[in-house]
Amino acid sequence: MSHDVYENPLIGRYASPAMSQLWGSQRKFSTWRRLWVALAEAEQQLGLAISDEQLDELRANVDNIDFAAANAHERRLRHDVMAHVHAYGDVCPTAAKIIHLGATSCYVTDNTDLILLREGLQMVRDRLVAVIDRLARFAEE
C-alpha cells in the first residue's frame, strides 16, 4: 500500500494526482514532522536545552516515516499523535525526548489540516483560473 496517495473510492475517479498526494499519509505525517522541527527550533531560540545535533537529526528524518512502526505504536498507545512521536523518535534517538515538547496533539493535527486545506484551495484556485481563462478565450473567438 502506498502512503503517498489518499485512499478513497472516489479518489481514483475524480481527484488529480496532485490532490491525491496532498491528502496522502506521507504528506500528512511529514507535515507533522515539519511542525515538530519548527517547534523545536523556536524552543531552542527561547533557551530550552535543544542542541543543534538534535535539530539536524529531526530535519534529516522528516520524510523517513516507518508506517509499520507507527501502526505498531498506535496499537499499543491507542493515540495517533503519540504513535508518530514514538515512530519519529525511533529514527531520531538523540532528539526523541524533545519531539512534541510542550505541545498538544492539536498543534500538529489542526495546523496540518490548515496547511493542507490552504494548499488544496490553491490548487483549486489555479484550476479555476485556467478554466475561466480558457472560457474567456473561447468566448472571444
Side-chain angles (χ1 to χ4, degrees):
M1 180 175 119
S2 170
H3 295 284
D4 293 332
V5 176
Y6 179 67
E7 295 291 330
N8 180 294
L10 301 176
I11 296 301
R13 281 184 239 159
Y14 305 115
S16 69
M19 191 65 81
S20 297
Q21 200 167 37
L22 176 66
W23 295 102
S25 295
Q26 179 68 40
R27 185 62 181 274
K28 173 182 176 178
F29 297 120
S30 65
T31 302
W32 285 13
R33 289 180 177 199
R34 282 179 180 81
L35 287 165
W36 284 323
V37 169
L39 175 65
E41 289 169 345
E43 289 171 333
Q44 183 193 51
Q45 289 176 357
L46 290 171
L48 274 70
I50 295 172
S51 70
D52 290 338
E53 293 76 25
Q54 288 172 310
L55 292 174
D56 290 341
E57 187 177 55
L58 291 174
R59 289 184 199 110
N61 287 286
V62 164
D63 294 314
N64 179 19
I65 301 171
D66 183 341
F67 287 94
N71 288 337
H73 286 303
E74 188 164 358
R75 281 191 301 278
R76 181 174 54 82
L77 299 169
R78 302 178 102 25
H79 194 283
D80 59 344
V81 174
M82 286 299 103
H84 279 272
V85 167
H86 285 266
Y88 200 13
D90 291 346
V91 296
C92 299
T94 305
K97 67 181 182 180
I98 60 132
I99 297 168
H100 197 71
L101 182 64
T104 67
S105 296
C106 289
Y107 169 69
V108 290
T109 58
D110 293 2
N111 284 309
T112 294
D113 286 347
L114 290 170
I115 290 166
L116 299 181
L117 283 167
R118 180 190 65 210
E119 290 182 29
L121 288 170
Q122 287 169 340
M123 285 183 204
V124 170
R125 177 204 60 206
D126 293 347
R127 292 266 177 119
L128 285 171
V129 167
V131 167
I132 292 167
D133 181 59
R134 285 181 187 162
L135 287 171
R137 282 190 274 136
F138 177 75
E140 286 176 356
E141 290 174 11

